[in-house]
Amino acid sequence: MLFRSHVTISRPALALESVTIKGKTYHMIATKGQLLALAAGQLDLDQNYLLQQDIDLSDTEWVPIGTAGEPFTGSFNGNDCEITGLTMKDPDAEVAGLFGYADGAKIYNVTLRDYDIAEAGKNAENRSVAPILVFGTDTACYDNFAYPKE
């Protein structure tokens, strides 16, 4: 007999399509809403993600993926797609970038174009700014391209 108190049901706040490649499952991010859900912590930060198409964030105030208390620990394959218009203007932001904190993560094939994070954190005492990854512990972040807004 199975007692309800022994059952844990876990459902992600947002269901993503997934694919398994060489035994590894990747959750596919195909929309701005899905990428925003990852940044908002509505998706598990310990999973593998694969970007499916270019995403324009120019009309959105970005909040970096991963916090000091809950860093991103999975993998993020940008799949040679572009994320354009990433914008952070919060003058009190202490961390500005696509990813804020990562630990043991793999972040690769990410292209940021026309991002605008130069003004973020101008009032913060200990501001840290980097286009792709701000703080990473034991994290592989490679094959990345970043083109700031001119």
Side-chain angles (χ1 to χ4, degrees):
M1 178 176 220
L2 189 63
F3 295 100
R4 189 154 181 77
S5 63
H6 296 283
V7 176
T8 302
I9 299 174
S10 175
R11 292 186 182 98
L14 182 67
L16 300 177
E17 289 186 40
S18 61
V19 62
T20 301
I21 302 169
K22 295 182 181 179
K24 194 173 191 179
T25 300
Y26 291 88
H27 303 285
M28 294 184 273
I29 294 182
T31 68
K32 176 172 78 170
Q34 292 168 337
L35 187 58
L36 290 170
L38 179 59
Q42 296 170 345
L43 298 172
D44 294 329
L45 296 176
D46 64 350
Q47 299 296 305
N48 304 307
Y49 295 96
L50 181 64
L51 201 57
Q52 293 298 292
Q53 63 186 19
D54 295 344
I55 295 180
D56 182 5
L57 297 172
S58 60
D59 63 350
T60 304
E61 175 73 13
W62 181 252
V63 175
I65 299 168
T67 64
E70 293 186 58
F72 181 75
T73 59
S75 71
F76 186 90
N77 181 345
N79 199 21
D80 295 322
C81 298
E82 288 187 358
I83 298 173
T84 58
L86 183 139
T87 304
M88 291 186 69
K89 302 256 184 206
D90 180 2
D92 298 317
E94 292 184 8
V95 175
L98 179 62
F99 286 83
Y101 293 85
D103 185 8
K106 290 181 177 52
I107 302 167
Y108 55 100
N109 294 332
V110 178
T111 301
L112 288 184
R113 187 171 300 281
D114 299 331
Y115 65 89
D116 184 3
I117 59 175
E119 293 296 312
K122 66 182 178 183
N123 295 340
E125 194 170 307
N126 295 314
R127 160 180 128 149
S128 294
V129 178
I132 305 287
L133 172 63
V134 180
F135 294 107
T137 304
D138 193 30
T139 293
C141 184
Y142 51 92
D143 290 338
N144 300 306
F145 302 95
Y147 305 96
K149 191 173 187 175
E150 294 180 9

